[in-house]
């Protein structure tokens, strides 16, 4: 099994993407929210790239069983039901509902890598389960940290390194690229204190400055669920 | 002082490049060769992107005091005087001579970032001196690991992390981006055994497979010179 990582989120993707298991990471906060919402009983999450697409989509589904969630500039969007804090996605609010989600980085990433053999949502919350699914699939793995508006983001890379650590524990002979070696070393640096990586990162500091400390603490929790969201035909389901 | 790193060698460069000190890294082996050649008394190194340009340039300078050096596929180029092993660039061969150098990654990188306020060649051999020069310049710093044919390379990133470590020791308040934080953490992981980073890297393993172990050992040496090559008007001088 070969494991590669896209260090910088870009549209230049490997040609063999259709034969790889792809994992998208947007720790702060899209993929953490997706895991949490499905864990709390949401039917499905529909990630869309723009606010306009979100409003179009809710017309299609009708508002009764569908909620609008997401952020721009880390803030809830006007006219939306939910922001991008995992704590908002509790069973009382999302159980049995579809959520249309649009965020600055993560929701776009799913559409970018949609040609992968399987496309999973990864976070610290479900990292161990993502490792298990990558091993089950028995394909080469392509990890896609979705970054921060086209830039590298520390917290997404550290989580990609966590998945590499898990795969290596089971399959020591896995083949690493220089990029996957680097994010693995990065995970090792922060493994004893993941919250440190989140509070050092540019995006983490931005969230802290906006009073969203609880979100950081939530997203730094590890292996609280076995749920692995899979992106297929435009929607994420458990 | 802000320090940023281009994790993936690309043509998408920061807009404020003309106000930054830029350091190019191609540890295996172009920037190590450049440092070694100048240290051994070469007059100047003229980095060119293609083999054709190298043959054009030697016509311009005349062959008497000018040598052709470089590689393609890690091998010496037909008709060239020198390959890309630092050991070839000894005083007996290069002292008082100009060297036209073309390599797969490093020599192109200098032309890519040529609009920097100052453009330096960095390697483990002169890392401490590069730190000193970055501090002298009192500008924001842009580190450019030249990578491996458009891909991230471990050894170049680790050396960029070494320069960050040196700057932080003198200026703890320096501002790091997520990318510079990551390569700094990477350097910390390998700082006690730089040769390990070189032998783990894709390009390092390729050189080992071609019997170039001596080159790796040479390039893993730290702070053996105070010489800092500066790229100006198409040429590198001490």
């Amino acid at each position: 099994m070969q494991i590669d990582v896209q260090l910088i989120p870009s549209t230049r993707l490997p040609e063999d993407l259709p034969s790889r298991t792809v994992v998208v990471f947007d720790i702060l906060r899209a993929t953490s929210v997706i895991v949490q919402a499905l864990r709390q009983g949401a039917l499905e999450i529909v990630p869309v790239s723009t606010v306009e697409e979100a409003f179009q989509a809710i017309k299609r589904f009708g508002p009764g069983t569908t909620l609008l969630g997401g952020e721009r500039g880390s803030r809830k969007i006007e006219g939306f039901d939910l922001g991008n804090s995992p704590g908002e996605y509790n069973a009382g609010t999302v159980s049995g509902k579809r959520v249309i989600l649009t965020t600055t980085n993560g929701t776009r990433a799913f559409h970018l890598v949609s040609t992968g053999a399987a496309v999973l949502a990864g976070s610290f919350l479900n990292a161990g389960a993502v490792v298990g699914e990558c091993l089950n699939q028995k394909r080469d793995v392509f990890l896609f940290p979705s970054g921060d508006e086209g830039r590298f983001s520390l917290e997404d890379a550290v989580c990609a390194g966590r998945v590499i650590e898990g795969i290596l524990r089971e399959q020591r002979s896995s083949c690493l690229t220089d990029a996957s070696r680097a994010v693995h070393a990065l995970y090792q640096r922060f493994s004893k204190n993941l919250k440190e990586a989140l509070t050092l990162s540019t995006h983490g500091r931005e969230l802290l400055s906006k009073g969203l400390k609880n979100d950081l603490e939530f997203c730094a929790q590890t292996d609280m669920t076995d749920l692995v969201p899979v992106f297929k035909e435009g929607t994420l389901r458990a």
Side-chain angles (χ1 to χ4, degrees), chain A residues 79-234:
Chain A
F80 272 41
D81 304 294
L82 297 160
N84 200 30
S85 289
E88 297 175 78
Y89 292 73
N90 53 51
T93 309
V94 301
S95 182
K97 302 276 176 69
R98 172 186 298 113
V99 181
I100 297 164
L101 187 71
T102 182
T103 70
T104 311
N105 305 296
T107 57
R108 297 167 195 218
F110 286 101
H111 294 283
L112 262 178
V113 299
S114 61
T115 55
V119 180
L120 318 176
S123 67
F124 287 115
L125 310 175
N126 70 339
V130 166
V131 168
E133 187 54 32
C134 288
L135 292 166
N136 277 345
Q137 299 248 350
K138 296 187 201 312
R139 292 189 181 96
D140 288 341
V141 173
F142 185 67
L143 305 176
F144 193 92
S146 41
D148 190 13
E149 300 191 47
R151 291 183 296 272
F152 172 86
S153 71
L154 189 67
E155 70 282 10
D156 293 342
V158 170
C159 192
R162 161 71 184 86
V163 169
I164 294 172
E165 169 78 14
I167 294 174
L168 288 177
R169 268 189 213 158
E170 298 296 320
Q171 292 201 1
R172 285 177 62 93
S173 63
S174 299
C175 171
L176 302 187
T177 61
D178 281 22
S180 46
R181 255 178 232 288
V183 302
H184 183 228
L186 202 57
Y187 168 71
Q188 290 175 319
R189 158 71 181 80
F190 289 106
S191 62
K192 294 209 173 74
N193 189 355
L194 294 173
K195 222 181 105 185
E196 187 194 355
L198 271 63
T199 53
L200 275 176
S201 77
T202 304
H203 194 52
R205 281 177 289 141
E206 188 199 323
L207 294 180
L208 286 175
S209 77
K210 290 181 174 165
L212 296 164
K213 190 179 165 202
N214 288 347
D215 286 11
L216 253 73
E217 284 175 358
F218 190 96
C219 297
Q221 297 172 97
T222 53
D223 298 322
M224 60 189 280
T225 176
D226 284 340
L227 189 147
V228 180
V230 179
F231 182 65
K232 211 171 173 177
E233 294 165 8

Side-chain angles (χ1 to χ4, degrees), chain A residues 19-121:
Chain A
S19 64
R20 285 177 177 261
T21 304
V22 181
V23 188
V24 171
F25 302 87
D26 185 0
I27 303 314
L28 296 175
R29 299 165 281 170
T31 53
S32 302
V33 159
I34 289 163
V35 168
Q36 170 66 357
L38 291 173
R39 183 172 162 257
Q40 295 291 318
L43 279 181
E44 62 176 3
I45 314 291
V46 183
V48 299
S49 300
T50 66
V51 174
E52 195 171 282
E53 277 177 77
F55 283 121
Q56 292 290 338
I58 200 153
K59 279 187 205 158
R60 200 165 70 238
F61 292 119
T65 56
T66 304
L67 300 169
L68 286 175
E71 57 73 31
R72 284 297 179 274
S74 308
R75 304 275 188 206
K76 186 174 158 180
I77 299 159
E78 213 185 309
F80 272 41
D81 304 294
L82 297 160
N84 200 30
S85 289
E88 297 175 78
Y89 292 73
N90 53 51
T93 309
V94 301
S95 182
K97 302 276 176 69
R98 172 186 298 113
V99 181
I100 297 164
L101 187 71
T102 182
T103 70
T104 311
N105 305 296
T107 57
R108 297 167 195 218
F110 286 101
H111 294 283
L112 262 178
V113 299
S114 61
T115 55
V119 180
L120 318 176

